[in-house]
Amino acid sequence: MAADFLTRPRGGRLWNNPDFLRLWAAQSLSAIGTRFTREGLPIIAALSLGATAMDLGLLIALSALPGVLLSPFVGAWIDRTRRRRVLIMADLVRATALASLPMAAWYHTITIGQVMGVATIVALFSMIFQTADNAYLPSVIEQDQLLEGNAKLATTDAVAEVVGPAAAGVAIQLFTAPFAVLFDALSYLWSAALLASIRRPEKPIETGEHAPNLWREMAEGLRFVFSHPVLRPLTLCFSTLMFFLSFFAPLYVLYAVRDLGIPPGILGFVIALGGFSAIIGARLAAWAGERVSSRKLLIGVLLAYGIVTSFIPLAQGPLWLAVGLLCLGQLCGDGLYVVFHTNAAALRQTMTPDALRGREGGVVHLLSSGLGLIAALLAGSMADLVGIRPILWIGAFGVFASSLWLLAIPRNVTT
């Protein structure tokens, strides 16, 4: 029975829910298309426009900063409007912004400023989409289906991480990066059309006794999250985890190629293992969540994740040993993270009233993305002083430290 999670059918009711299938399909192709933009924008900047390292750093910062600054207000606004409309609007804005790049490339007028502007718009409205999507999912499925629904969406994202980068690379090679990005624009139009076809009505908006006031409602969201016995430790855990994992983001490739001497071709294979691991993790997430209490599962998975993350700074010696340790980190780590994230998302949705889901998501995004941005900047500057490996060790130990917040979750909590 411990191994049949890969073979036995799950979520039969969701397969019979046409509105969930439309939502799932809307995210599927869009998730693959997003990888075209993720790979394509830096290539446009670096190869087509001769961007400097400072330009690329600014590109990344501009992509993250608006979402960090505006996420609490976005969450309050989402709680005051229809979430499906927000999702459709975010898709249409992203499609329009991305479509401007191949058009400008066709007329030879594309500039680094335009690329930065498009990256900023897409990142901002992606944050809006993610916050609204987290709040909207419980309107499409029943509460006892949240774990299955999140697991299916995580499976799509994992498959996209395997297929997307490879497909993006081929498209960029054949059509050039600006025209490959057009695929992502079309995927957002596809997503908007599917979302518009959803028929299940949303719950009436609870406006409360006061007139709309985003500042007051943002404060209400903060008070709700940090006074809740489950959401407070869960939010602090996730934010701390994102801080320490962001030590790896700017350093992993440089560490593997420069410090360990791993050829780029082999490194690409190592990274691809993470996508396959995430697919298995997405399948396992609901199976584990139904059998183990949320507190035990989240703590146990995070501790295991800390162990396999330690394989990354531990990698050294002959090429076969270094590659083997990185493979273990990718093959086990990404799957464990998906199990953690899927069950944490279902628990957040279960514990948050519908009227506060947007604000709860905004608070989580503010803390996790804000701390992640700070950590990425710190990691680069600290690595120049003490080397990359000590910084990666700090990140690995931080994963263990993040699990301590979860001890405050009541023992009987479940999704």
Side-chain angles (χ1 to χ4, degrees), residues 15-308:
W15 285 110
N16 296 322
N17 182 336
D19 287 329
F20 173 77
L21 294 180
R22 292 185 182 102
L23 178 64
W24 193 12
Q27 295 183 356
S28 298
L29 186 58
S30 179
I32 296 176
T34 298
R35 272 65 182 180
F36 280 66
T37 297
R38 188 184 70 185
E39 309 295 334
L41 291 186
I43 291 177
I44 295 172
L47 298 184
S48 303
L49 302 174
T52 64
M54 183 177 293
D55 290 331
L56 292 175
L58 188 59
L59 178 66
I60 295 173
L62 286 175
S63 298
L65 192 59
V68 171
L69 296 177
L70 297 177
S71 54
F73 300 99
V74 168
W77 170 59
I78 286 172
D79 284 337
R80 284 283 182 176
T81 189
R82 298 292 184 184
R83 282 83 183 253
R84 187 167 66 103
R85 293 178 185 174
V86 175
L87 295 173
I88 295 171
M89 178 269 295
D91 274 337
L92 294 176
V93 171
R94 290 185 290 179
T96 303
L98 288 171
S100 71
L101 290 176
M103 185 178 298
W106 181 264
Y107 290 104
H108 304 287
T109 58
I110 192 169
T111 64
I112 186 65
Q114 181 186 2
V115 173
M116 289 182 178
V118 169
T120 303
I121 292 170
V122 171
L124 174 60
F125 281 88
S126 292
M127 180 274 293
I128 293 173
F129 185 96
Q130 291 164 7
T131 305
D133 185 47
N134 181 72
Y136 181 60
L137 179 62
S139 299
V140 178
I141 61 179
E142 303 301 326
Q143 182 167 311
D144 63 353
Q145 298 173 316
L146 285 173
L147 191 54
E148 294 177 3
N150 279 287
K152 282 181 165 54
L153 297 179
T155 301
T156 296
D157 204 54
V159 172
E161 190 61 33
V162 175
V163 177
V170 173
I172 290 169
Q173 185 72 30
L174 293 176
F175 307 112
T176 74
F179 291 97
V181 165
L182 183 60
F183 179 84
D184 195 13
L186 294 175
S187 75
Y188 288 134
L189 293 178
W190 161 261
S191 174
L194 285 169
L195 289 167
S197 69
I198 292 177
R199 295 289 175 258
R200 185 166 180 169
E202 293 184 55
K203 297 177 181 178
I205 300 171
E206 298 180 21
T207 58
E209 302 176 355
H210 305 285
N213 184 311
L214 291 183
W215 284 100
R216 187 195 70 247
E217 291 167 19
M218 180 187 70
E220 288 175 354
L222 286 167
R223 284 196 298 271
F224 170 73
V225 169
F226 285 100
S227 63
H228 196 283
V230 174
L231 294 178
R232 180 178 62 251
L234 192 59
T235 300
L236 291 172
C237 169
F238 188 69
S239 302
T240 306
L241 181 64
M242 290 300 100
F243 177 81
F244 286 108
L245 288 182
S246 295
F247 280 24
F248 290 88
L251 301 177
Y252 183 85
V253 172
L254 186 61
Y255 167 71
V257 174
R258 191 186 69 184
D259 290 13
L260 301 180
I262 298 176
I266 295 178
L267 181 60
F269 169 77
V270 172
I271 294 173
L273 287 177
F276 291 107
S277 168
I279 294 173
I280 297 173
R283 184 65 175 172
L284 176 60
W287 179 87
E290 293 171 352
R291 287 160 174 77
V292 184
S293 70
S294 296
R295 183 177 183 270
K296 287 183 179 179
L297 178 63
L298 293 176
I299 292 175
V301 169
L302 203 52
L303 290 176
Y305 184 46
I307 293 173
V308 298

